[in-house]
Amino acid sequence: MIYKPRMESIELLILKALDSRICLSSKVKQLYFNLKKGYEGEILFDSLTEQLQCECLILNDLLLKQNNTLFQIDSLIIMSDTIYLFEVKNYEGNYYYESDKLYKIPKSEINNPLIQLIRSESLLRQFLHSLGITIPIHSSIVYINPEFTLYQTPLDKPFILPTQVNSFLKKLNKSSTKLNEKHNRMADKLILHHIQDPPFNQLPSYKYEEMHKGITCVNCTSITVSNMGKICICHKCGFEEAVEAAVMRSVEEYKLLFPEKKVTTNIIHEWCKVVKSKKRIRRILSENFKIMGVRQWTYYE
Ligand SMILES: [Zn+2]
């Protein structure tokens, strides 16, 4: 049972919006690509764990603090006598393992996720201990991408390779685990301590004036969306969306990028650009938000 669902991080959402509307430097583009790829891998793993029929509590994406040190957990499955901790990696291509180091072929060393896993497990154990909880932790790195190959994989490392994910989960599913109130309390405590707004990596600075105005496509994120009657159509992928939904999405995007600015009819009319009728924008805003202020000072919350 999914006890805590995964959401796209604010950082990823901001980068997605920026990527459609400004020209990102290659460094920021790489950051966006890595975050997006990681998130896709986690979602793929979630789609498998959510099929578990055994009694368990699944907590996806936890950010906790122990001894003033932040640590992030991709996936945690609480079963009766063990907590399973998963670090999910969406690496693609050919890699090899040598002297406790991980290399992408031909020869570029990348961070060994095992170090991160050992650190997370240790911090989680201390964290649980501080709450008076003692339970064995079983940690693994899940390589989720079907196009990932790891040569020279040592047998004694806690790696779950793409061809092993299903059998690992099948085995979990077969265990006769019974949960009680104690497990729910443990899950609640973890969620209570989850840090909602983590510090961001380096986001670029941006200004409203330099952004492409228009509506981004919900399917392919391109900004080549036009409005015809009650429908918005993407010229890149052909995706169609009701104009109200598209405008509301754009408002959320605007609020995400400019949380300090007020939402007004004029600004959203300019922001969405392709919806020519200001009256329509005003109607959508007034139907979906609380109207604050009067006349030319009206804004929406
Ligand atoms: Zn599209």
Side-chain angles (χ1 to χ4, degrees), residues 119-210:
R119 176 182 174 273
S120 298
E121 183 186 307
S122 165
L123 288 165
L124 177 65
R125 190 176 300 107
Q126 294 171 49
F127 178 83
L128 291 171
H129 188 75
S130 72
L131 297 175
I133 300 166
T134 314
I135 185 168
I137 302 170
H138 184 286
S139 307
S140 321
I141 290 165
V142 181
Y143 293 104
I144 195 73
N145 197 305
E147 294 182 26
F148 171 79
T149 303
L150 185 59
Y151 293 98
Q152 298 168 196
T153 310
L155 291 174
D156 61 343
K157 298 286 185 259
F159 295 156
I160 303 176
L161 299 171
T163 49
Q164 300 172 317
V165 181
N166 280 332
S167 57
F168 182 90
L169 292 176
K170 260 188 208 161
K171 213 168 123 195
L172 272 194
N173 212 17
K174 277 193 190 138
S175 50
S176 52
T177 156
K178 281 265 170 277
L179 299 187
N180 56 38
E181 248 329 285
K182 194 182 77 187
H183 298 100
N184 279 48
R185 276 202 303 272
M186 191 196 310
D188 288 340
K189 278 183 184 168
L190 285 164
I191 292 172
L192 183 71
H193 286 88
H194 168 65
I195 298 163
Q196 283 287 3
D197 299 310
F200 292 152
N201 288 310
Q202 269 203 312
L203 282 180
S205 60
Y206 52 89
K207 286 198 188 93
Y208 175 82
E209 294 72 28
E210 61 200 25

Side-chain angles (χ1 to χ4, degrees), residues 217-222 224-225 234-239:
C217 172
V218 67
N219 187 47
C220 74
T221 73
S222 137
T224 57
V225 169
C234 172
H235 290 273
K236 195 171 167 199
C237 75
F239 193 85

Side-chain angles (χ1 to χ4, degrees), residues 74-100:
D74 288 341
S75 225
L76 203 70
I77 301 185
I78 299 176
M79 305 210 26
S80 58
D81 52 8
T82 308
I83 283 188
Y84 290 86
L85 184 160
F86 299 98
E87 173 71 31
V88 181
K89 291 292 171 206
N90 195 10
Y91 299 155
E92 198 175 319
N94 298 315
Y95 292 69
Y96 68 96
Y97 204 86
E98 196 174 79
S99 315
D100 283 328

